[in-house]
Amino acid sequence: MTVQFNDQFLKACKREQIDHVPVWYMRQAGRSQPEYRELKKKYSLEEITHRPETCAWVTKLPVDQYNNDAAILYKDIMTPLPAMGVDVEIKKGIGPVIGNPVRNLDDVKRLTSIQPEQDVDFVLETIKILRTQLNVPLISFSGAPFTLASYMIEGGPSKNYNKTKAMMYSQPEAWNLLMEKLGDMVVTYVKSQIKAGAQAIQIFDSWVGALNREDYRTYIKPVMEKIFSQLRGEGVPLIMFGVGARHLTMDWHDLPLDVVGLDWRYPIQEARADGITKAVQGNLDPCVLMAPWSVIEEKAKHIIDQGIKQPGFIFNLGHGVFPEIDPAVLKRLTSFVHEYSAEKLAQINR
């Protein structure tokens, strides 16, 4: 028996009529799943991503378990950087650590371009496998230039991005060349993923909220315009997401993209009142998932009620799933969002 393809997520991205609000969760693949934890006893993140069959299994597992409306490819935003000459190691309990930080113009000049079919062939093969296995859309992604640069310059995770901002302010030639090279990489990398079969793309600018609006417009927005303009013709929905970036969302809204991702700090009704008319995605605080079910249900209802007032809403968390979250809660939440929103939308669409 052929299972019908679930296109609710793609319809919501395009602001088309839907039967229920589609659901997926950032970092839904891995993290809190016991099957994934067992796998991690044998393989590192890098080893999993370099094994396409295994990586496809990890990506598909939450869709099978939670009945989500989209899958997101299991990989890391740092995945393409080694091909540029960046020495990256994902250290447990720390995150990405860079062995050769970028600190000046000469360091930037040494960065090379990527050849996806050679450098990230394992990513493309995983996408091709998943397209034969999934009955929901496959989302793939890339890190955005600022967030990637912050790791490359700081040498790893940072709380204040002092070195990154110092280069941005004091070495304009190095900064502009770094943005150019990273922007070109993102376009090349994303296009290869779409060609392999990715049906939507999310750009993660996780840490760009550290910048004020004026600096964002001066130092970052031009490369984001370039990226989204060059991806616009690829025919797949484009999503933007960052953390603590409420003050930048109208600038994202100006970009040629389809969906504005909201973190948990920015209520959907306020985003709409501020002028966001594109599809929105979000934005339950993932910490709420540690609360009693009555609290989770109340918070989810409030978000859904706000989201469905205008066409184009995708239910998600305001940031990623973390390891302590019970997978059974995610499954129950998905069912609740489907059932509650279907009932509400049926009333609206009568």
Side-chain angles (χ1 to χ4, degrees):
M1 178 179 175
T2 303
V3 178
Q4 185 175 358
F5 183 74
N6 173 358
D7 64 352
Q8 296 297 290
F9 166 78
L10 295 177
K11 285 184 173 180
C13 290
K14 300 171 187 173
R15 304 180 71 247
E16 295 176 356
Q17 184 171 315
I18 51 177
D19 300 320
H20 66 261
V21 169
V23 185
W24 71 277
Y25 306 112
M26 287 180 280
R27 291 180 177 164
Q28 66 187 22
R31 304 289 282 185
S32 67
Q33 295 171 296
E35 299 90 342
Y36 172 77
R37 291 180 182 177
E38 283 299 311
L39 186 67
K40 283 296 294 292
K41 291 177 181 178
K42 295 172 60 178
Y43 304 115
S44 67
L45 183 154
E46 183 180 16
E47 288 170 335
I48 293 171
T49 59
H50 280 72
R51 299 166 63 93
E53 291 284 355
T54 304
C55 190
W57 178 80
V58 173
T59 300
K60 187 171 180 285
L61 188 62
V63 177
D64 294 339
Q65 290 186 341
Y66 310 148
N67 195 31
N68 291 347
D69 298 279
I72 183 162
L73 187 64
Y74 175 84
K75 60 186 176 79
D76 192 81
I77 63 169
M78 312 304 284
T79 297
L81 294 190
M84 298 183 72
V86 181
D87 178 13
V88 181
E89 181 182 357
I90 309 296
K91 290 194 175 182
K92 187 175 181 180
I94 299 175
V97 176
I98 308 300
N100 55 341
V102 172
R103 297 285 166 76
N104 54 50
L105 182 59
D106 287 340
D107 293 337
V108 177
K109 286 180 176 179
R110 279 192 284 269
L111 296 172
T112 58
S113 58
I114 70 166
Q115 305 296 323
E117 290 73 17
Q118 300 171 21
D119 298 327
V120 290
D121 56 318
F122 50 93
V123 171
L124 308 183
E125 181 60 27
T126 305
I127 291 171
K128 292 173 184 175
I129 291 170
L130 283 162
R131 284 301 307 273
T132 70
Q133 297 178 346
L134 291 169
N135 70 321
V136 297
L138 174 63
I139 306 165
S140 198
F141 64 90
S142 174
F146 177 83
T147 292
L148 295 175
S150 74
Y151 284 106
M152 294 163 65
I153 297 167
E154 302 288 339
S158 173
K159 292 182 178 180
N160 46 39
Y161 310 98
N162 289 344
K163 295 183 180 72
T164 306
K165 290 183 180 182
M167 177 185 276
M168 188 176 74
Y169 294 136
S170 64
Q171 300 185 63
E173 185 179 0
W175 181 263
N176 291 336
L177 182 60
L178 181 57
M179 290 298 100
E180 180 183 339
K181 287 196 170 192
L182 287 174
D184 289 343
M185 182 279 290
V186 170
V187 171
T188 300
Y189 182 45
V190 167
K191 283 187 175 182
S192 72
Q193 294 177 77
I194 295 170
K195 183 179 178 182
Q199 292 156 287
I201 294 293
Q202 179 154 309
I203 302 297
F204 284 92
D205 212 349
S206 305
W207 313 133
V208 77
L211 297 181
N212 64 47
R213 187 180 291 118
E214 181 180 354
D215 285 345
Y216 181 81
R217 291 174 177 173
T218 301
Y219 298 104
I220 308 300
K221 194 171 182 179
V223 73
M224 301 309 295
E225 286 270 11
K226 173 184 173 181
I227 289 169
F228 284 110
S229 295
Q230 292 190 20
L231 296 178
R232 180 74 277 171
E234 295 298 307
V236 304
L238 304 173
I239 309 167
M240 184 72 202
F241 178 76
V243 180
R246 173 176 180 156
H247 58 297
L248 305 178
T249 48
M250 286 310 298
D251 284 288
W252 296 350
H253 192 263
D254 292 341
L255 300 171
L257 50 80
D258 302 281
V259 184
V260 177
L262 307 176
D263 80 359
W264 72 92
R265 301 171 180 86
Y266 196 6
I268 294 169
Q269 61 189 7
E270 292 184 21
R272 292 300 193 194
D274 289 342
I276 293 179
T277 58
K278 293 182 177 180
V280 295
Q281 177 176 277
N283 61 345
L284 183 70
D285 185 338
C287 292
V288 170
L289 297 176
M290 305 293 288
W293 175 253
S294 59
V295 176
I296 298 171
E297 183 177 302
E298 179 186 358
K299 298 281 189 181
K301 278 183 181 179
H302 185 58
I303 289 170
I304 295 165
D305 289 344
Q306 293 177 63
I308 61 176
K309 287 181 179 179
Q310 294 188 35
F313 173 55
I314 300 150
F315 189 94
N316 206 311
L317 304 179
H319 201 191
V321 173
F322 51 86
E324 294 80 8
I325 292 174
D326 184 352
V329 172
L330 292 172
K331 181 177 182 179
R332 187 176 182 182
L333 177 59
T334 304
S335 295
F336 173 76
V337 174
H338 286 168
E339 293 165 9
Y340 179 77
S341 66
E343 182 180 337
K344 287 282 187 173
L345 287 168
Q347 296 171 4
I348 293 172
N349 295 331
R350 277 177 190 156

